[in-house]
């Protein structure tokens, strides 16, 4: 015969395993929810307080005007140039992965061509007795130094060896980009010299003077440059 054992009166009745399992999952879910709330709150507070955030203060002094120079030249033309500088530095007896750099730098800037009216001789302008003809003798156009645009000039790609990375990391003043800018300016200046920028400036200066002098009443305007007879 099967006998059913009854718990003595006054003793606690054990809970079924299913109920204990459900209660454990509830406690675990509640614990994970509290942890999630704490993590999200801490992250929001950290981003709001931003203890390691960087702030910028401009403590520069006022701009001082050192001098003013009168200009007597005509800006006749402007050339817009762009060059990709590929600068590589290698070590004699070490592979590039250990020691060596290669940088691709995009340099963009303008070169102005101008005619200097301040260098005109006293007899540079000859007017006929009847004041109908005028001859102007000018020097040829010159080129200004290239003016690189910092907003359009940037390092496109760079490869560095292990020793170079460590050196830049430990250095208080890592390698700057001055050499890249100087090289880009040199290449742009060479390109401007070999282009027709000065010829275009001479042509624009001629057209400007012819129009201006014709407006003043001269019917015959002759523009000569220093290399012309």
């Amino acid at each position: 015969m099967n006998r059913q054992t009854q718990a003595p009166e006054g003793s606690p009745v054990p809970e079924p395993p299913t109920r204990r399992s459900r209660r454990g999952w509830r406690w675990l879910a509640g614990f994970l929810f509290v942890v999630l709330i704490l993590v999200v709150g801490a992250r929001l507070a950290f981003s709001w307080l931003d203890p390691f955030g960087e702030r910028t203060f401009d403590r520069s002094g006022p701009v001082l005007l050192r001098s003013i120079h009168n200009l007597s030249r005509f800006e006749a033309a402007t050339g817009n140039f762009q060059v990709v500088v590929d600068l590589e530095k290698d070590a004699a007896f070490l592979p590039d992965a250990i020691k060596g750099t290669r940088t691709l730098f995009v340099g963009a800037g303008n070169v102005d061509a101008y005619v200097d009216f301040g260098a005109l001789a006293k007899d540079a302008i000859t007017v006929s007795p009847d004041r109908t003809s005028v001859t102007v003798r000018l020097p040829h156009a010159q080129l200004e130094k290239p003016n690189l645009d910092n907003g359009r000039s940037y390092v496109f790609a760079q490869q560095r060896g292990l020793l170079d990375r460590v050196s830049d990391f430990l250095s208080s003043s890592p390698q700057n980009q001055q050499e890249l800018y100087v090289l880009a300016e040199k290449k742009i200046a060479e390109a401007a010299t070999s282009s027709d920028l000065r010829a275009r400036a001479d042509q624009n200066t001629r057209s400007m003077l012819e129009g201006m002098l014709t407006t003043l009443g001269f019917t015959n305007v002759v523009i000569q440059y220093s290399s012309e007879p």
Side-chain angles (χ1 to χ4, degrees):
M1 293 179 64
N2 294 331
R3 294 182 180 181
Q4 296 180 354
T5 304
Q6 297 180 354
E9 294 183 359
S11 61
V13 179
E15 296 182 359
T18 303
R19 184 176 297 178
R20 290 200 301 269
S21 176
R22 291 177 179 175
R23 181 175 296 180
W25 280 108
R26 290 176 182 176
W27 278 104
L28 180 61
F31 176 76
L32 293 178
F33 179 76
V34 172
V35 171
L36 179 62
I37 293 297
L38 292 176
V39 171
V40 173
R43 185 170 183 180
L44 291 176
F46 187 85
S47 61
W48 179 66
L49 296 175
D50 196 11
F52 301 106
E54 179 179 328
R55 294 184 298 173
T56 302
F57 298 94
D58 187 0
R59 305 186 188 278
S60 305
V63 179
L64 300 179
L65 177 61
R66 302 296 299 272
S67 62
I68 296 178
H69 300 278
N70 295 327
L71 299 179
S72 56
R73 62 186 187 182
F74 174 62
E75 301 287 344
T78 298
N80 187 10
F81 296 88
Q82 180 173 306
V83 61
V84 178
V85 177
D86 188 350
L87 184 61
E88 183 175 0
K89 295 183 179 181
D90 296 328
F93 304 103
L94 292 176
D96 294 341
I98 302 299
K99 178 65 176 177
T101 61
R102 183 178 181 183
T103 306
L104 296 179
F105 177 77
V106 178
N110 300 327
V111 178
D112 295 332
Y114 66 93
V115 175
D116 188 4
F117 291 154
L120 295 180
K122 295 182 179 180
D123 59 346
I125 300 177
T126 304
V127 180
S128 63
D130 58 357
R131 302 190 63 85
T132 59
S133 299
V134 60
T135 300
V136 182
R137 299 173 182 86
L138 298 175
H140 279 287
Q142 304 178 45
L143 297 180
E144 272 281 13
K145 181 182 177 181
N147 182 21
L148 258 64
D149 186 353
N150 294 330
R152 296 187 294 135
S153 302
Y154 58 94
V155 174
F156 177 75
Q158 188 175 45
Q159 298 176 354
R160 294 179 297 170
L162 179 61
L163 295 180
D164 298 281
R165 293 177 181 271
V166 173
S167 177
D168 291 344
F169 178 77
L170 297 178
S171 176
S172 59
S173 57
Q175 183 180 6
N176 55 33
Q177 300 175 2
Q178 182 179 4
E179 184 179 6
L180 298 172
Y181 277 86
V182 171
L183 189 55
E185 287 182 355
K186 179 181 177 182
K187 292 183 177 296
I188 290 178
E190 293 173 351
T193 301
S194 60
S195 68
D196 63 342
L197 184 57
R198 286 182 295 183
R200 178 71 64 86
D202 288 341
Q203 179 181 353
N204 292 342
T205 304
R206 182 191 298 269
S207 300
M208 183 273 295
L209 289 176
E210 287 177 347
M212 182 182 67
L213 294 174
T214 300
T215 304
L216 294 177
F218 294 97
T219 58
N220 183 27
V221 178
V222 177
I223 306 296
Q224 296 180 349
Y225 286 96
S226 55
S227 60
E228 297 179 1

